Amino acid sequence: SKKLFLLYLISKFRKFNHMAGQGASLQNYNNELVKCIEDLREKREEINRQILQDEEEKAKIQRDLSVLTDRLSKINEALARKVQARNEYDKTIQETEGAYMKILESSQTLLQVLKRETVSLVKKKQSSN
């Protein structure tokens, strides 16, 4: 855009030189200069409007980012609590299953002992008859 502005000024200067060469009055030069300044002010205002829009968008994004950062923090905290709870469930399940297996093994042993004793009692009863 600086390059375009310089080209614009050069064209205006050439036009001025051409007009001066033809005996143009100082008033024509003054009018051209005023127009050039007005054009520059219009371009500045357009850029200023764009800056204001960008600043508004930036502020909105920063507010959104703050809200999202808070949400992310809360979700991370909740996830940590839930993962810890899940790990405690896993531990409890593992311990309970281990105890259950011991109960099953003990039940099998008890059943075997009971069967042997029953057989032994039956044999004693039969031998006493």
Side-chain angles (χ1 to χ4, degrees):
S1 66
K2 283 185 179 181
K3 190 175 182 180
L4 289 174
F5 172 67
L6 287 175
L7 289 173
Y8 175 75
L9 286 180
I10 289 170
S11 74
K12 293 297 182 185
F13 182 72
R14 285 184 182 153
K15 194 173 187 181
F16 166 73
N17 278 344
H18 179 70
M19 291 169 65
Q22 295 176 346
S25 68
L26 187 55
Q27 185 63 39
N28 286 340
Y29 168 69
N30 189 43
N31 290 343
E32 283 292 319
L33 191 54
V34 168
K35 174 134 178 51
C36 182
I37 291 170
E38 287 174 3
D39 288 347
L40 292 174
R41 284 196 173 133
E42 287 176 12
K43 290 175 183 175
R44 183 216 176 266
E45 282 306 309
E46 176 57 31
I47 292 295
N48 193 53
R49 281 192 293 277
Q50 292 174 8
I51 289 170
L52 293 174
Q53 286 176 344
D54 288 350
E55 286 175 346
E56 285 178 26
E57 184 177 3
K58 176 185 171 185
K60 182 190 179 304
I61 289 171
Q62 284 176 326
R63 286 189 304 272
D64 292 348
L65 182 59
S66 176
V67 168
L68 291 174
T69 300
D70 288 345
R71 281 180 54 195
L72 179 61
S73 176
K74 288 175 184 169
I75 287 173
N76 281 335
E77 291 169 8
L79 272 173
R81 287 191 304 272
K82 289 174 183 176
V83 166
Q84 183 179 359
R86 182 188 63 193
N87 291 343
E88 290 172 10
Y89 277 112
D90 288 345
K91 182 180 175 188
T92 301
I93 290 168
Q94 188 177 15
E95 290 172 354
T96 304
E97 286 176 339
Y100 178 67
M101 290 307 291
K102 287 181 182 177
I103 290 170
L104 283 180
E105 290 169 5
S106 296
S107 295
Q108 284 179 326
T109 304
L110 181 62
L111 184 60
Q112 289 169 356
V113 169
L114 187 61
K115 283 181 181 179
R116 272 198 313 261
E117 289 299 316
T118 303
V119 168
S120 174
L121 285 173
V122 168
K123 283 183 182 177
K124 282 184 184 178
K125 185 179 178 188
Q126 287 174 353
S127 62
S128 65
N129 282 342

